[in-house]
Amino acid sequence: MADPTNSEIAAAFDELGDLYELDGAIIHRVVAYRNAAKVTRDASVSVAQLTREGRVTELPGIGATLETKLVALVETGAIPQAERLRAKFPAGLLEMTRLPGLGPKRARRLYEELGIDSLEALETAARQQRIRDLRGFGARAEENFLAAIARATADAEARGGNGSGRFVLDRALAIAEPLLELLRAHPTSHQVELAGSARRWGESVKDLDIIATADDPRALAEALAASDLVESTAGLGDNGARVRTHSGMGVDLKVVAPDQFGNVLQHFTGSKEHNVALREAAVKAGLHVSEYGILDDASGETLRCATEQEVYAKLGYAYIEPELRENRGELQAARLDGGSGLPELITEADVKGDLHSHTTASDGKNEIEQMAEAAQALGYEYLAITDHSASHGFGDDVSPQQLEAQIERIHAANAAFPGIELLAGSEVNILPDGSLDYPDELLARLDWVIASVHSSFSLGEAAMTERVIAAIDHPSVDAIGHLTGRKIEARPPYALDVTRVIEAAARTGTMLEINGAPDRRDLNDVHARAAAQAGVLILVDSDAHRTRTLASSRRYGIATARRAWLTAAQVANTRSWKEFAPLRKRVRAGG
DNA sequence: GCCGTTTTCGGCCCGACTGTTTTCAGTCG
C-alpha cells in the first residue's frame, strides 16, 4: 500500500477535528487537530515516512496520541476513531457547519432535536418554519439559513465548479493595484497599504483588506465606493467602507488613527497562525497583542505603534517580511535575543536571466527576436528559448527536424543580439515511461533542456516518481519544469514523492524550477524551501508565452521564492551568464 | 491533544458581531 501523502494526512486530521468538534470535544483538542493538519501540510518531508521511523513527534504539535493515529493510518489506511465518528454524524452535518453563521454546536442541536442532517433538510425545515420553536433559534435564524443556502448555491454556480470562492493572486492584484493607486492619489489620504494574504503574496485570496490613514476618512471611503471597479457598497462610514467589485471580490477599507497604523496593519496582514503564535509568545512576557495595541501587564498601559517595525521591536523581534509570516519558524529566527536571524530574501532585481520561454515555434505569441528584445529591456544577460517538444500536440509540437531549424534560428538571433546570450533550448516532454521525446543526440546539441510532464497525470505516485527521476538521471536534462503540474484553484498536483525527487536532483546536480506563471507557482513555497535546503539550485522562470509575461510572471516566481525563505545565492539565475553557464549539468558532466 | 526559563497538570490569543436573551453562547476572522 502506498504511503498517504502529507496533504491526505492533513485532510484526515482536519476531518477528525471537525468530527470531534461536532462530538462536543473541548475546543483546544479540536484546535490541536487543526494545528497538526497545518503542520503536516507545511512539512517538507514525508510525514508517513517520519511515522514509520518513529520520529514523527519531532514535529511541533504532534504528540503521542496523534502518533498512534498516524501509525494506524500508515499501516491500515484508516483511523479507527474517524470511522466511529463518521458513523455517528452524517456527512451532510459537516456540510451544514460550513454554512456561514452555523457552527458545530447549533448544527448538532438541529440534528438531534429536529433530525436535520443535510443542507436540503435544513432548507425544508426553515421554509416550514419548524426551526423557530427550538430554544435559542428564532424566525431570524430561519431567514438567515435560507439566505446563506441561496448565496452558497448562487456562488457555486457563478464559479462554475471552483467551489472555494478564492481568486488566484494575479486576478486579485489586478483589482487591488488600481484601487491602491486611487486611494493613494486621493488628497485626504496619507498612508495606504494592502494587508491580508495578498500582501503576503499567498497563492490565492478570498478578499482584499486595505488599511489607510486620512485627514477625512469618510471622503476616502466615498472615493473607494465611487470607483468604476465597485459594483455595490455594503457599509460606509468614518472607519472606512466595505464594497464588492464587479468581479465578485469583497474589498474592506479600514481608515485608522496614524498612531495605530502599525498595529492594525500587522493584525490584518496575518497570517492567523503567525498572529496566534506571536500573541502566545507575548503573553509569556506579560504582553497582550491586539489590533489596537500592545497591553503591558506591568504598567497597565497600551502601547500604540505607528509602524509594524515598532510592533515587532516591542515584542523582541526583528522586522519580519510579510511573505514569511506563516508560523514556519520565522518568529524563532527573528528573536532579537538568540534567534538565528532571518534570511536576506531574493528580490526581482536579483534576476539576471530566464531559462523557460516560448515562441511561435510552439504555442508562444512572439518571435525569438521579440522575446530577446523584451529580455534585454529587463536587463537580462541570458534567455533560454524552450519551445514544446515533438509529442506536445494541440498543433504546438516541434518535430526533430523543426527543432534543428529552430536551433539555427536561435543561433542566428544570438549573433544579432550581442548584448544577450540566447540559449537554444527545449521544454521537452517526459513521457509516461520516463523517456524524452527527442533523440539523445539532438538533446545533446542544445544549450539548455528543461524537462516537464504534460500528459498522463494520473499514473500514481510510484510510477510518477520513477518517471520524473528517470528524466533527472538523463545527462542532457538541466532542469525540471513545473514539478507537480498543479494549477492553483483549478487542478491539484499529481501524486509524486517530492522528497525523493529532491534527493535525485541534489545527487545529479539537476536544477528545479519555480515556475512563475501565477496559476502555477510550482515548485510551491514549501517544496522550494526543502529543495534549497537539500542543496538543489533553484530557478525562477517565467514560462513566458509572450513578451509581457517575462516580467509579469517573474514577480510571482520571486514571491514564491521569498515565501520559501530563499536568498539570491540559492537561486541559480541570479548569477551572471559567466557564472551560470558552467553550472549547467551538461557542462559539468562534459568537464 | 499539546506542552513546560513560573507547570508532567493546568493552562492553552484577541476582539467583534449576532441573535436571543435579561447576561451570554456561538460564530467568525
Side-chain angles (χ1 to χ4, degrees):
Chain A
M1 172 170 28
D3 272 346
T5 64
N6 285 2
S7 64
E8 285 165 349
I9 292 170
F13 281 154
D14 273 329
E15 186 201 13
L16 211 41
D18 288 344
L19 288 168
Y20 274 126
E21 192 173 27
L22 271 177
D23 201 34
I26 61 158
I27 191 62
H28 301 111
R29 190 168 163 215
V30 174
V31 167
Y33 278 95
R34 297 198 174 133
N35 181 44
K38 166 94 165 82
V39 166
T40 302
R41 206 167 271 126
D42 286 351
S44 60
V45 293
S46 161
V47 171
Q49 179 70 29
L50 281 183
T51 302
R52 276 199 270 88
E53 291 169 1
R55 295 172 46 208
V56 78
T57 55
E58 290 174 16
L59 291 173
I62 301 208
T65 306
L66 283 176
E67 181 180 34
T68 306
K69 292 186 160 112
L70 275 170
V71 168
L73 184 62
V74 168
E75 287 181 355
T76 71
I79 301 174
Q81 289 85 349
E83 311 261 279
R84 185 176 61 76
L85 288 167
R86 266 190 227 118
K88 189 169 172 185
F89 301 111
L93 204 48
L94 279 181
E95 255 187 89
M96 284 165 58
T97 65
R98 304 207 209 296
L99 216 54
L102 183 57
K105 297 272 197 317
R106 301 197 321 145
R108 186 172 167 182
R109 287 195 52 222
L110 290 170
Y111 173 56
E112 291 185 339
E113 300 186 31
L114 294 176
I116 296 170
D117 62 356
S118 68
L119 287 177
E120 294 73 35
L122 179 65
E123 186 172 6
T124 306
R127 283 198 196 291
Q128 294 171 343
Q129 307 191 340
R130 282 164 43 216
I131 294 175
R132 60 182 62 184
D133 299 331
L134 215 55
R135 222 186 112 72
F137 292 82
R140 206 51 195 278
E142 289 173 346
E143 283 173 36
N144 290 342
F145 290 151
L146 288 174
I149 290 171
R151 211 162 34 237
T153 315
D155 285 357
E157 282 169 9
R159 285 191 302 269
N162 172 11
S164 76
R166 298 180 69 87
F167 296 78
V168 179
L169 184 60
D170 65 325
R171 277 194 70 199
L173 291 184
I175 295 163
E177 286 171 345
L179 291 180
L180 291 168
E181 195 175 329
L182 171 100
L183 295 171
R184 284 172 181 152
H186 196 272
T188 194
S189 74
H190 291 288
Q191 300 177 87
V192 178
E193 283 297 335
L194 190 59
S197 54
R199 181 166 179 241
R200 303 196 313 275
W201 291 85
E203 294 173 352
S204 64
V205 307
K206 188 156 144 285
D207 46 30
L208 295 171
D209 286 308
I210 298 173
I211 316 296
T213 60
D215 294 327
D216 184 346
R218 179 175 284 269
L220 194 65
E222 284 168 351
L224 173 67
S227 161
D228 288 347
L229 298 176
V230 170
E231 172 212 88
S232 60
T233 300
L236 195 157
D238 293 336
N239 300 321
R242 184 184 295 267
V243 303
R244 186 177 164 95
T245 67
H246 292 292
S247 52
M249 172 167 295
V251 182
D252 208 350
L253 169 69
K254 294 181 203 337
V255 187
V256 304
D259 67 347
Q260 282 180 312
F261 182 76
N263 300 106
V264 178
L265 183 61
Q266 195 284 324
H267 176 85
F268 283 100
T269 296
S271 64
K272 182 172 182 285
E273 290 79 10
H274 173 86
N275 282 353
V276 167
L278 184 76
R279 293 194 286 253
E280 281 176 353
V283 166
K284 294 192 173 105
L287 300 168
H288 302 271
V289 183
S290 80
E291 64 196 274
Y292 302 107
I294 301 171
L295 171 64
D296 190 334
D297 279 341
S299 66
E301 291 186 1
T302 297
L303 178 73
R304 293 171 151 219
C305 302
T307 68
E308 286 189 317
Q309 281 79 357
E310 287 175 58
V311 175
Y312 284 107
K314 171 71 182 174
L315 297 171
Y317 301 98
Y319 177 73
I320 300 173
E321 296 285 355
E323 294 94 324
L324 299 184
R325 300 182 197 171
E326 299 289 344
N327 194 29
R328 293 177 184 160
E330 72 279 9
L331 288 167
Q332 294 83 340
R335 286 291 328 170
L336 293 172
D337 54 345
S340 55
L342 292 167
E344 186 175 335
L345 297 178
I346 183 173
T347 68
E348 281 194 76
D350 292 322
V351 176
K352 294 201 169 70
D354 196 325
L355 284 307
H356 187 165
S357 71
H358 296 266
T359 70
T360 52
S362 63
D363 58 349
K365 302 296 181 212
N366 293 106
E367 304 293 337
I368 298 167
E369 293 77 11
Q370 294 170 304
M371 296 298 282
E373 283 172 11
Q376 256 186 325
L378 291 172
Y380 286 173
E381 298 182 19
Y382 43 104
L383 172 70
I385 304 293
T386 55
D387 279 296
H388 289 292
S389 55
S391 68
H392 195 68
F394 308 107
D396 300 324
D397 53 296
V398 176
S399 71
Q401 293 74 19
Q402 288 173 316
L403 179 59
E404 293 193 30
Q406 174 81 341
I407 293 172
E408 296 309 313
R409 278 198 296 273
I410 296 168
H411 284 164
N414 194 36
F417 285 85
I420 185 166
E421 197 70 32
L422 295 176
L423 307 188
S426 174
E427 181 185 13
V428 62
N429 279 348
I430 308 173
L431 300 174
D433 67 356
S435 65
L436 308 175
D437 62 347
Y438 284 130
D440 285 351
E441 318 80 80
L442 185 53
L443 290 172
R445 283 178 50 201
L446 292 164
D447 303 315
W448 173 258
V449 169
I450 188 159
S452 308
V453 168
H454 286 112
S455 64
S456 303
F457 293 159
S458 43
L459 274 190
E461 182 180 314
M464 189 64 90
T465 305
E466 292 311 315
R467 176 185 187 179
V468 173
I469 290 177
I472 287 175
D473 280 326
H474 193 289
S476 292
V477 169
D478 299 293
I480 301 293
H482 49 70
L483 180 64
T484 74
R486 61 95 176 252
K487 292 280 189 80
I488 295 167
E489 295 300 315
R491 183 172 81 199
Y494 40 71
L496 180 75
D497 186 337
V498 175
T499 304
R500 283 193 56 210
V501 169
I502 289 172
E503 283 167 6
R507 168 172 57 75
T508 57
T510 308
M511 299 179 194
L512 294 179
E513 167 189 84
I514 293 175
N515 188 297
D519 63 341
R520 285 196 184 268
R521 299 179 70 178
D522 181 11
L523 308 171
N524 69 19
D525 46 10
V526 170
H527 292 151
R529 189 174 175 189
Q533 278 175 343
V536 175
L537 274 174
I538 306 296
L539 294 166
V540 174
D541 285 338
S542 68
D543 195 359
H545 283 66
R546 58 181 73 224
T547 51
R548 71 165 177 272
T549 41
L550 274 175
S552 66
S553 288
R554 178 178 66 185
R555 65 176 183 158
Y556 297 98
I558 289 296
T560 305
R562 289 169 63 87
R563 289 175 58 84
W565 294 50
L566 298 191
T567 64
Q570 290 171 304
V571 174
N573 54 316
T574 60
R575 289 165 175 73
S576 66
W577 170 243
K578 200 174 163 214
E579 291 171 306
F580 180 89
L583 293 175
R584 289 172 296 166
K585 202 166 91 190
R586 63 185 57 239
V587 177
R588 288 203 225 182

